[in-house]
């Protein structure tokens, strides 16, 4: 007989799932979980792998909710892994949200395995997606000739463009706000800058005809609302026409010259870089050209919106006092070395990272090793193209042994710098662009 490797709690939870799944969910997750949302995290094909991982067969496997992480794994120190991803920190598994530690963002071009995942709902099952028959519909009241394109049509009819584009979640950095804001507690890792290949959104919209009264576009994807309700969208956001028609706004079918990873929107996604990542729709099925500001799910305040004036921490802000976030603020990361390293006194240390500034470019980056008392200018490279992040590099020395922090601070092309402390508190915890810092022990 195979035996379960772990304690009675594991055995207990399986029995409880068989009897009373809601109670088991409360016990395991500390909350109730809609039965439909239990699906989808681990695929059926993973059952064998899962049995191997827990060290024995799972007698009640057929009653095990699809979304369940076996307690034997959830309780172990093994980092939990997502297919195609490496080293990400999983913040939430219903829906899946995972961020990238700063030192894994050191590449100039973010590899697919290190691109963060931000899901508002339940992604379409990979098995249900057929890229060959996938269709994108262009419609809306301000579209003259609504049309449908397969991915092959897009590839054939329009010019291809490959650009390196930064995607950052509007809530990146949320974990630092006090009082805490609800939502994923991102630290610094909800940002990435891979290349995307596709066609210009502008070319496709123009082929369908844009009416004079068009002011906004909105996207729809095939993910489902977290409740499982088929009549609700997980998210449907968009951008004003001006942003939609920029050279860099793409409908992309490839990331880093390969298929877009499943969790990042395979087989087709919108990329409107420099704005909150939420405008870059994944699993893209439909784009509507609107004669009013798009009113899809998560367009209304307080979603992706900031108070129009600074508010005291903890304030309640009325909906009419919010405005939709557009360009993201200037920001930077120290991606090398990894925080916490030891360094030999007398040797200089090369530090490097990336800086970006929403729709703008980065003008300067400075670093400090004395908690911001003095700053030295870093070398800063231009972006490979507009809306890509920029590499910065600096060499620092340390006067004596002890604990140091390296801080980095970027300044955008309009003279705005990153704050050294967390910027203005806001109800949903958006736009924290405080300086990133790493620890260095000099011995
Ligand atoms: N269809 C769909 N598109 C989506 C989302 C989503 O949940 N569903 N999340 C948005 C948000 S909030 C962000 S930050 C980015 C994240 O992109 P990534 O998961 O590829 O990193 O996708 C955006 N596009
Ligand atoms: Mo996001």
């Amino acid at each position: 007989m195979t035996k379960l490797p772990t304690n009675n709690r594991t055995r207990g939870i399986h029995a409880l799932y068989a009897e009373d799944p809601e109670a088991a969910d409360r016990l395991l997750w500390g909350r109730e979980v809609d039965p439909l949302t239990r699906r989808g995290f681990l695929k059926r094909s993973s059952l064998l792998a899962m049995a191997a991982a827990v060290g024995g067969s799972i007698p009640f496997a057929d009653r095990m909710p699809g979304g369940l992480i076996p307690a034997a794994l959830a309780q172990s120190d093994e980092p939990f892994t997502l297919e195609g991803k490496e080293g990400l920190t999983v913040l939430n598994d219903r829906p899946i949200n995972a961020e990238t530690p700063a030192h894994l963002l050191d590449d100039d071009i973010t590899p697919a395995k290190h691109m963060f995942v931000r899901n508002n709902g339940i992604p379409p099952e990979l098995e249900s997606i057929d890229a060959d028959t996938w269709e994108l519909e262009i419609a809306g009241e301000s579209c003259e000739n609504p049309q449908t394109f397969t991915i092959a049509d897009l590839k054939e009819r329009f010019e291809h463009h490959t650009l390196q584009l930064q995607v950052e979640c509007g809530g990146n950095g949320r974990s630092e706000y006090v009082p805490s804001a609800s939502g994923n507690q991102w630290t610094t890792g909800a940002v990435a800058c891979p290349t995307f290949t596709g066609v210009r959104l502008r070319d496709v919209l123009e082929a369908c005809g844009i009416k004079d009264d068009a002011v906004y576009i909105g996207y729809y994807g095939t993910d489902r609302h977290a409740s499982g309700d088929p009549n609700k969208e997980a998210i449907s956001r968009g951008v004003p026409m001006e942003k939609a028609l920029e050279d860099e706004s793409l409908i992309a079918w490839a990331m880093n010259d390969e298929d877009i990873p499943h969790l990042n929107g395979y087989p087709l996604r919108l990329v409107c870089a420099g704005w909150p990542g939420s405008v870059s729709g994944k699993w893209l099925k439909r784009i509507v050209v609107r004669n009013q500001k798009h009113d899809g799910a998560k367009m209304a305040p307080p979603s992706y919106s900031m108070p129009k004036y600074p508010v005291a921490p903890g304030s309640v802000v009325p909906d009419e006092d919010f405005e939709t976030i557009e360009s993201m603020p200037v920001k930077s990361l120290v991606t090398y070395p990894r925080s916490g390293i030891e360094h030999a006194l007398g040797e200089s240390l090369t530090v490097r990272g990336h800086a970006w500034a929403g729709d703008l470019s980065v003008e300067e980056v400075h670093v400090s090793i004395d908690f911001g008392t003095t700053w030295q200018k870093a070398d800063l490279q231009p972006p490979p193209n507009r809306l890509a992040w920029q590499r910065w590099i600096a060499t620092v020395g340390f006067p004596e042994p002890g604990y140091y922090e390296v801080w980095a601070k970027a300044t955008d092309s309009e003279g705005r710098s990153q704050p050294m402390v967390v910027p203005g508190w806001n109800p949903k915890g958006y736009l924290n662009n405080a300086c990133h810092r790493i620890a260095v022990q000099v011995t």
Side-chain angles (χ1 to χ4, degrees), residues 116-120 169 223 235 264 269 277-278 280 282 304:
F116 76 103
V117 176
R118 190 329 185 203
N119 289 334
N120 287 266
C169 182
D223 46 339
I235 186 168
N264 299 113
R269 85 176 290 175
S278 56
S280 294
K282 304 194 281 187
Y304 303 103

Side-chain angles (χ1 to χ4, degrees), residues 85 95-98 115-124 167-171 186 190-192 196 219-224 234-237 255 260-265 269-270 275-284 298 304:
K85 299 289 173 186
I96 298 165
N97 284 278
M115 178 157 187
F116 76 103
V117 176
R118 190 329 185 203
N119 289 334
N120 287 266
I122 310 165
V167 177
E168 180 179 18
C169 182
W186 304 110
V191 62
F196 290 97
Y219 71 75
Y220 293 88
T222 61
D223 46 339
R224 289 174 300 145
I235 186 168
S236 170
R237 303 202 68 240
M255 192 173 113
I260 295 171
H262 171 219
L263 293 175
N264 299 113
R269 85 176 290 175
L270 189 62
W275 286 38
S278 56
V279 301
S280 294
K282 304 194 281 187
W283 310 293
L284 185 66
K298 306 215 172 179
Y304 303 103

Side-chain angles (χ1 to χ4, degrees), residues 224-298:
R224 289 174 300 145
H225 190 267
S227 67
D229 183 342
N231 300 313
K232 281 192 190 163
E233 308 290 341
I235 186 168
S236 170
R237 303 202 68 240
V239 293
M241 231 45 222
E242 200 186 11
K243 178 73 181 166
L245 299 181
E246 277 183 352
D247 285 354
E248 296 81 10
S249 295
L250 299 183
I251 295 171
W253 55 77
M255 192 173 113
N256 298 342
D257 298 323
E258 297 193 331
D259 286 344
I260 295 171
H262 171 219
L263 293 175
N264 299 113
Y266 176 79
L268 200 65
R269 85 176 290 175
L270 189 62
V271 188
C272 293
W275 286 38
S278 56
V279 301
S280 294
K282 304 194 281 187
W283 310 293
L284 185 66
K285 276 304 272 182
R286 187 158 184 259
I287 294 174
V288 285
V289 186
R290 306 293 317 265
N291 63 9
Q292 58 166 71
K293 183 174 178 178
H294 184 54
D295 51 2
K298 306 215 172 179

Side-chain angles (χ1 to χ4, degrees), residues 49-84:
M50 205 157 65
V54 301
S57 71
I58 306 174
F60 288 124
D62 60 331
R63 307 190 194 171
M64 210 168 160
L68 182 70
I69 300 172
L73 302 182
Q75 290 167 1
S76 83
D77 296 334
E78 286 278 300
F80 193 78
T81 51
L82 295 175
E83 215 173 305

